[in-house]
Amino acid sequence: NQEIYIKTKLIELTPATFTVEYNIYDKDEELINIGVTKLVWADAKNFKITNLKRRNFEMYKKLEQLL
């Protein structure tokens, strides 16, 4: 077993997508891996891509502040 911790950072945001970067460190705080995930905003009922900026403007503005 290896103890790790993960730092995440929002690196890209569009009305329809967002990208998160992951830096993975060991217990000595040495960087051991980096990952990136690109995701889409989807409607929970029909799973169609949705525009977060139009659907929930307040949340979109809060996320923009993380960039």
Side-chain angles (χ1 to χ4, degrees), residues 11-65:
I11 59 171
E12 182 183 49
L13 176 67
T14 73
T17 68
F18 65 104
T19 305
V20 180
E21 179 182 79
Y22 309 89
N23 291 330
I24 303 170
Y25 298 87
D26 65 14
K27 65 180 180 176
D28 299 320
E29 298 185 20
E30 182 178 331
L31 181 65
I32 56 175
N33 206 347
I34 297 173
V36 176
T37 303
K38 187 167 191 164
L39 301 156
V40 299
W41 302 109
D43 184 289
K45 293 180 182 174
N46 61 25
F47 301 108
K48 290 185 179 183
I49 295 173
T50 190
N51 183 318
L52 181 67
K53 194 172 185 177
R54 272 191 252 141
R55 187 169 210 151
N56 191 334
F57 185 73
E58 287 183 29
M59 180 187 283
Y60 186 83
K61 289 313 247 180
K62 287 180 182 181
L63 289 169
E64 270 189 326
Q65 293 173 3

